[in-house]
Amino acid sequence: MLKVIPVFAQAGISGFQSPAAEYRQLTLDLDELLMEHPTATFIGQAKGDSMTGVGIFDGDLLIVDRAATASSLDVVVANLNGSFVCKLFDRKASLLLSPGSNQQGHQLREGDIFEEEGIVIRSVRLHRYARQLAQCLR
Amino acid sequence: MFALVDVNSFYASAEKIFDPSIRQRPVVVLTNNDGCICALCDQAKLLGVKKFGPYYKVQDMLRDQGAVIRSSNYELYDDLSNKMMEVLGRFAPRQHVYSIDECFLDFGQWVPKEGWADYALMIRETVARELRLPVSVGISLTPTLAKVASFVAKKRKVKKGTAVLISDEIRRRLLAQMQVGDIWGVGKRIASRLTAMNVDSALALADACPKAMRKQFSVEIERTVRELNGTFCFDWETLPTEKKQTFSTRAFGSPVTDFTSLRQSLAWHAERVAEKVRRQQSAIQVLTVFAHANPFASSGHYHRSVQHTFAFPVNDVSSLVRVVSKAATEIYKPGVKFHKSGVGALALCPARQTQPDLFDESKSKPELMQCMDLINQRYGKNTLGIAAKGVNVQWSMKRNFLSPQFTTNWQDIPKITC
């Protein structure tokens, strides 16, 4: 979407103009920083502690990019046998690693349903309670 | 050149994106208070279920076959649709969104370096990669032929999902295999009239004399004939962008027999119609209000509708509620088990063109409506509404099998196991 710097029409002289008016910039936009391909990005929430070794903790937000360029070792979100998992994916060895836990890596075998959903390009730590994420009491 | 891109079984495909546990299973999506089947994935089609059929008839069979049932999750579909249209917009200088899951791309004189076949594949792969939606891409000389190509693309075994239709020979061969009713813009009634005239295949229509078609049918059919022969004459301006009519109707969750519920449901529909009409900056000249008993029931048939013509076009909810409340007294009949009710704006005109009149007694409050729309946009639907529709009503929308709003509601974002 096109972003516009708001400049208000002025007529006549009314008081003193702000000396900073000519330096107005767009305010920082987190979306711009967190998402490289907005149409290809979705947001998920981490559940569990197996990824603490790469700095992903329970409750963190995961920014998952389906259009990011793959490298040999990526933090990915994948469909493993019918549920979403976040793992460190060693592509050459077909190995799903859980850094930070004592769990063994999962070696992909024939018969596993495995679909890579996207690469976790950022994760967001929420240091305080976020009202929007809390489930309503119903 | 033009492309038509549309999603295969959009609603069912959308349900699978954020729920990997149902990807391999037959998925059936319901609409209309969970009464009617509106989308089926390929696995569900194999079960022999028909689209647009009533759900209750196949309910037991679907359960036995382990099919996944979902209510229509419009919040999710709308978000995915917007993203898809944005992705598709990258591929051509002009784009015409035709419905929630299909759009035309207008390439003008431009030709891709890699050729049309590869370009079509690239479109398909990009949408699949970025959104996980399976699309069909048909490319040809005119929008009508692009639609033909897309029809073919869905049936192809090789290079599934794409078709490029340029050569005259292939065009004629394909059209010969298609029924006249398969052509875009040829409705059922026109198709049967054409068939009666021995114009039964799409090729026969293409070979018909355009002038004669115009005389016997309409200028639209003449355009269709020319388009089938590769001459672009489709007018994007006549695409229904600004709707001339708009409806809000719905079957009740359970039959309604009391007057208050009927009146409340009509007020609820009136509010929705007014909101839709304001959004496209129109005003209503003629309003229809109706309710009926279940037409499929063996007895107790009942249908009544009331039309109201406004002296001055309106789009504020209070004017509509006044009309539907009065109509409700005329429609209601004790003992009738009402199955469905609705409100429709039959004739619309641009809100700006309405002339103020010396005798205008309407109590329209555009500022109030604007304020209500803004509040509802900001804080979510139904934050503010009219009291006449009631609260906690029992007739409201049934969406018993609704999936989460994965992409539009923070509480519903997919949970990912670490």
Side-chain angles (χ1 to χ4, degrees):
Chain A
M1 220 201 332
L2 186 68
K3 303 222 170 104
V4 182
I5 299 178
V7 177
F8 300 103
Q10 291 183 331
I13 300 162
S14 55
F16 292 100
Q17 243 190 355
S18 160
E22 285 181 39
Y23 299 91
R24 179 172 294 167
Q25 297 272 325
L26 281 176
T27 183
L28 293 176
D29 176 12
L30 274 177
D31 276 10
E32 187 193 19
L33 183 74
L34 296 181
M35 297 191 212
E36 287 175 26
H37 308 102
T39 52
T41 300
F42 69 93
I43 303 170
Q45 191 172 29
K47 290 282 163 210
D49 297 314
S50 75
M51 293 297 282
T52 51
V54 292
I56 295 175
F57 296 86
D58 187 48
D60 284 1
L61 296 182
L62 305 175
I63 315 289
V64 190
D65 190 336
R66 292 198 187 94
T69 317
S71 65
S72 56
L73 195 64
D74 280 313
V75 178
V76 302
V77 166
N79 164 21
L80 180 63
N81 298 324
S83 54
F84 282 151
V85 294
C86 172
K87 294 290 161 204
L88 188 60
F89 184 28
D90 182 341
R91 291 177 207 275
K92 266 187 206 136
S94 292
L95 200 59
L96 295 174
L97 300 159
S98 303
S101 75
N102 300 323
Q103 289 177 37
Q104 289 255 308
H106 178 94
Q107 180 71 54
L108 291 173
R109 297 176 205 92
E110 222 169 293
D112 269 339
I113 294 169
F114 179 78
E115 293 172 295
E116 194 178 325
E117 298 294 317
I119 293 171
V120 178
I121 59 161
R122 318 266 191 269
S123 66
V124 179
R125 190 95 261 272
L126 303 157
H127 291 278
R128 274 201 184 186
Y129 168 79
R131 170 181 57 84
Q132 293 89 336
L133 287 164
Q135 295 289 334
C136 282
L137 295 171
R138 274 187 234 206
Chain B
M1 292 294 276
F2 295 88
L4 176 80
V5 186
D6 66 342
V7 188
N8 308 338
S9 323
F10 178 41
Y11 292 2
S13 303
E15 290 294 334
K16 295 193 178 195
I17 296 177
F18 293 105
D19 189 351
S21 68
I22 64 170
R23 288 212 181 138
Q24 323 288 328
R25 293 171 61 189
V27 171
V28 175
V29 182
L30 308 177
T31 182
N32 262 341
N33 262 345
D34 293 343
C36 199
I37 292 170
C38 73
L40 301 157
C41 72
D42 286 345
Q43 291 97 318
K45 281 177 193 156
L46 291 177
L47 299 176
V49 191
K50 285 274 171 298
K51 221 166 129 176
F52 306 123
Y55 168 56
Y56 75 92
K57 279 193 177 167
V58 286
Q59 194 171 354
D60 294 342
M61 185 272 279
L62 288 173
R63 195 188 42 226
D64 294 345
Q65 297 285 341
V68 177
I69 311 296
R70 289 277 185 265
S71 306
S72 295
N73 185 345
Y74 296 108
E75 293 83 356
L76 174 68
Y77 310 153
D78 185 60
D79 182 58
L80 290 171
S81 169
N82 290 335
K83 284 181 178 144
M84 180 182 74
M85 295 308 173
E86 202 180 319
V87 171
L88 292 174
R90 289 181 215 147
F91 287 91
R94 276 175 303 278
Q95 176 186 29
H96 301 274
V97 175
Y98 187 58
S99 72
I100 190 165
D101 69 338
E102 59 186 329
C103 83
F104 288 97
L105 299 176
D106 177 354
F107 302 106
Q109 302 300 312
W110 179 80
V111 177
K113 283 193 296 270
E114 61 269 56
W116 289 111
D118 283 353
Y119 199 66
L121 272 176
M122 194 165 94
I123 294 174
R124 188 175 144 83
E125 277 159 15
T126 306
V127 179
R129 179 163 191 223
E130 296 204 5
L131 292 162
R132 269 200 168 273
L133 283 172
V135 295
S136 299
V137 184
I139 296 185
S140 192
L141 304 162
T142 64
T144 306
L145 284 173
K147 199 95 178 167
V148 169
S150 145
F151 184 84
V152 175
K154 287 190 180 57
K155 309 204 166 219
R156 276 181 101 174
K157 294 277 185 298
V158 282
K159 286 196 183 171
K160 199 170 156 50
T162 64
V164 179
L165 182 51
I166 299 177
S167 98
D168 205 43
E169 187 201 327
I170 297 175
R171 178 183 67 86
R172 292 189 68 83
R173 202 172 66 215
L174 282 175
L175 290 179
Q177 292 165 12
M178 285 172 75
Q179 303 273 308
V180 71
D182 294 335
I183 297 299
W184 187 43
V186 179
K188 256 188 196 156
R189 216 189 296 160
I190 292 173
S192 62
R193 272 177 68 197
L194 283 166
T195 313
M197 294 161 57
N198 278 331
V199 180
D200 46 2
S201 76
L203 185 63
L205 180 64
D207 288 341
C209 167
K211 288 251 167 65
M213 286 292 119
R214 179 186 196 148
K215 251 184 203 157
Q216 290 182 48
F217 295 94
S218 62
V219 66
E220 282 82 23
I221 298 297
E222 181 196 2
R223 276 197 201 130
T224 303
V225 173
R226 292 188 194 281
E227 285 247 322
L228 285 175
N229 287 294
T231 309
F232 170 66
C233 48
F234 195 80
D235 183 8
W236 297 116
E237 300 305 310
T238 60
L239 268 181
T241 45
E242 196 174 273
K243 278 208 221 153
K244 296 273 155 56
Q245 293 189 341
T246 184
F247 279 81
S248 170
T249 70
R250 192 155 288 160
F252 297 119
S254 55
V256 159
T257 52
D258 65 302
F259 174 71
T260 309
S261 297
L262 179 70
R263 198 196 56 207
Q264 286 178 344
S265 75
L266 291 171
W268 187 83
H269 289 303
E271 188 182 63
R272 287 191 56 196
V273 166
E275 202 261 332
K276 281 192 208 172
V277 168
R278 283 197 300 276
R279 204 184 307 154
Q280 63 172 50
Q281 286 165 7
S282 302
I284 303 163
Q285 291 169 306
V286 183
L287 193 74
T288 182
V289 185
F290 68 89
H292 57 74
N294 190 347
F296 300 111
S298 49
S299 64
H301 292 186
Y302 181 83
H303 183 110
R304 187 158 296 171
S305 73
V306 175
Q307 263 85 35
H308 179 88
T309 306
F310 290 97
F312 308 101
V314 298
N315 63 16
D316 69 299
V317 67
S318 50
S319 304
L320 296 196
V321 166
R322 227 171 291 136
V323 170
V324 302
S325 298
K326 188 166 165 293
T329 60
E330 293 171 47
I331 291 168
Y332 179 72
K333 190 178 160 196
V336 173
K337 285 183 177 169
F338 286 98
H339 170 72
K340 190 176 189 176
S341 70
V343 170
L346 291 183
L348 293 174
C349 64
R352 266 166 293 142
Q353 279 177 23
T354 61
Q355 271 188 8
D357 190 286
L358 183 60
F359 304 104
D360 183 358
E361 290 180 351
S362 82
K363 301 182 183 83
S364 277
K365 302 181 188 74
E367 298 83 8
L368 180 67
M369 290 300 109
Q370 212 179 3
C371 177
M372 186 169 105
D373 290 343
L374 275 173
I375 288 174
N376 285 335
Q377 262 169 35
R378 181 141 167 207
Y379 297 102
K381 268 182 194 167
N382 297 322
T383 305
L384 270 191
I386 44 158
K389 67 181 175 180
V391 281
N392 292 331
V393 282
Q394 44 110 1
W395 47 266
S396 68
M397 182 147 68
K398 239 191 348 191
R399 294 209 281 180
N400 287 339
F401 314 105
L402 190 62
S403 55
Q405 292 159 22
F406 294 110
T407 58
T408 53
N409 188 339
W410 281 109
Q411 291 166 18
D412 287 351
I413 58 174
K415 306 293 179 283
I416 295 158
T417 310
C418 288

